[in-house]
Amino acid sequence: MDIIAILSGRIILEFLGASVRYLYFNLCTLLNDDDFRTFSGFWSPKVSNKKKDENSELNHMIGVLSFGALIMALIFFNA
């Protein structure tokens, strides 16, 4: 049961991080008139292992930070 919880938590954090990166990048492109990137550019299963590891680490880090910010906002606004 612990393995399933760890794996599902990691997947959820990576998905959250990829979603935040996707929204941030594409909102910035609206302001700068750049090209949009698809979601698979931030969380793609069909790339090289090196690129997948780099994306995974960055998505996990951003996911943890955004989840922590969400928890802090809930604590702050609930008090």
Side-chain angles (χ1 to χ4, degrees), residues 18-47:
S19 299
V20 168
R21 288 179 61 208
Y22 172 77
L23 288 174
Y24 174 75
F25 183 81
N26 285 329
L27 286 175
C28 289
T29 60
L30 285 174
L31 297 174
N32 298 331
D33 293 330
D34 292 334
D35 291 333
F36 285 99
R37 283 178 59 184
T38 61
F39 186 75
S40 63
F42 296 101
W43 195 31
S44 179
K46 296 182 180 180
V47 294

Side-chain angles (χ1 to χ4, degrees), residues 54-74:
E54 290 173 1
N55 270 344
S56 177
E57 290 174 7
L58 191 56
N59 289 342
H60 189 78
M61 181 181 64
I62 300 293
V64 168
L65 291 174
S66 61
F67 185 68
L70 178 69
I71 296 297
M72 293 304 289
L74 285 173

